[in-house]
Amino acid sequence: MDFLDYAFMQRALLAAVLVGITAPAIGIYLVQRRQALLGDGIGHVAMTGVGLGFLLNTSPVWMATLISVVGAILMELIRWYGKTRGDIALAMLFYGGMAGGVMFINLAPGGSNANLTSYLFGSLSTVSESDVTAICLLAGFVVLVTVGLRRQLFAVSQDEEFARVTGLPVRALNLLTAITAAVTVTVAMRVVGLLLVSALMVVPVAAAQQLSRSFVATFAIAVAIGVTVTIGGTVTSYYQDVPPGATIVLLTIGAFLVLTAVAAPVARRRARAAAAARPAGDPAECAIPATRGAGDEVGV
């Protein structure tokens, strides 16, 4: 535990815990909405914010937050009104965000592409006190939205038309989800990196789905996995001198593979038990298979 003697590791671990909570917390809604790659797109746009931060000599975290939110809003508008040309517009937005980040950081005094590395792939030693303050504030917003509005976000993620009929402000909630995802990307970029943050949003949720069909249980397990792998990856990167973002993502994928291997025989045993409990006069071909997904139970 000697790593706790260093201030930079204390800051990095705090940031890692917050990332482990926030990324799966918003990721579960993105997975339900089949927008698993939204975080990846926002990460590309956030690069422009990082570059502007260096160019204007302001906080790259706050500037990336601003640009990411604007980008997330544009993505939602494109999704609403883009129709057949929407994919082209999104591609230009993503690639333009990457190009803008590289250009602005090279225009900044003393700037170079090397300055982007810690934001693209994460870095422990560069997490400053101001970064931790920003991450804490932004993470608080993400938790407030994802937990406080979980029923409404769950309903919209499952069936927009049904949610609209019940009177929910579907477009406002979709916009809020996109903005929350944008904020989460900037929370995670100092630890995981902009290019890898999407994996931490999606993979813990996919791993949790191997064990549970309840939304609440899936949410809790995904967050537990997120916190475990971010702490484990941060500590491993300190001792082994490896990139924290890559380490965290590989640990997350490892957790998914392990839980998948564990869940498969359990599912088979449950299926055999259900078949054994079926009445003799009930033909197997008449049984209705369980097709509910991770969020289909109203356990929110």
Side-chain angles (χ1 to χ4, degrees):
M1 301 289 284
D2 58 308
F3 57 86
L4 292 177
D5 295 334
Y6 299 97
F8 79 92
M9 277 301 294
Q10 295 172 8
R11 295 192 294 268
L13 283 171
L14 176 58
V17 170
L18 294 175
V19 170
I21 294 171
T22 55
I26 186 62
I28 191 169
Y29 300 107
L30 299 183
V31 171
Q32 291 291 323
R33 291 155 57 96
R34 293 177 174 82
Q35 293 181 324
L37 295 180
L38 179 64
D40 189 53
I42 294 175
H44 286 65
V45 175
M47 289 176 61
T48 292
V50 173
L52 276 175
F54 280 101
L55 180 64
L56 302 177
N57 197 28
T58 61
S59 168
V61 174
W62 287 113
M63 186 59 70
T65 302
L66 175 62
I67 298 300
S68 296
V69 168
V70 173
I73 293 172
L74 288 175
M75 290 178 202
E76 274 300 299
L77 293 177
I78 291 171
R79 190 171 74 89
W80 294 344
Y81 304 113
K83 297 181 180 179
T84 57
R85 296 286 181 175
D87 56 340
I88 298 175
L90 287 174
M92 289 192 293
L93 182 63
F94 296 165
Y95 299 136
M98 293 180 65
V102 174
M103 180 62 70
F104 288 137
I105 203 165
N106 277 276
L107 291 176
S112 68
N113 290 342
N115 298 117
L116 273 176
T117 302
S118 64
Y119 292 91
L120 293 177
F121 303 106
S123 175
L124 298 182
S125 60
T126 57
V127 180
S128 64
E129 291 186 6
S130 61
D131 288 337
V132 171
T133 301
I135 290 171
C136 288
L137 293 174
L138 296 172
F141 168 79
V142 174
V143 172
L144 184 65
V145 171
T146 55
V147 176
L149 296 176
R150 65 187 184 281
R151 295 179 183 274
Q152 293 88 340
L153 294 178
F154 172 80
V156 173
S157 299
Q158 287 295 104
D159 191 333
E160 286 191 6
E161 292 302 320
F162 177 77
R164 187 175 288 109
V165 170
T166 61
L168 288 176
V170 171
R171 286 198 169 180
L173 289 170
N174 283 336
L175 200 59
L176 181 61
T177 300
I179 291 172
T180 306
V183 171
T184 304
V185 167
T186 56
V187 168
M189 70 179 181
R190 301 300 277 142
V191 177
V192 184
L194 292 173
L195 296 184
L196 299 173
V197 62
S198 185
L200 198 58
M201 289 181 173
V202 174
V203 181
V205 177
Q209 287 177 334
Q210 306 304 309
L211 300 178
S212 173
R213 293 181 180 179
S214 162
F215 177 84
V216 172
T218 301
F219 187 102
I221 294 171
V223 169
I225 294 171
V227 172
T228 301
V229 296
T230 50
I231 293 177
T234 301
V235 174
T236 300
S237 67
Y238 168 78
Y239 283 112
Q240 301 299 324
D241 192 24
V242 291
T247 306
I248 289 170
V249 171
L250 290 174
L251 286 176
T252 309
I253 294 173
F256 171 80
L257 295 176
V258 169
L259 291 178
T260 299
V262 170
V266 173
R268 286 195 294 268
R269 284 197 297 269
R270 288 177 178 173
R272 286 196 296 266
R278 188 183 301 121
D282 184 13
E285 62 270 16
C286 294
I288 300 176
T291 57
R292 290 182 297 180
D296 291 347
E297 294 185 10
V298 183
V300 295

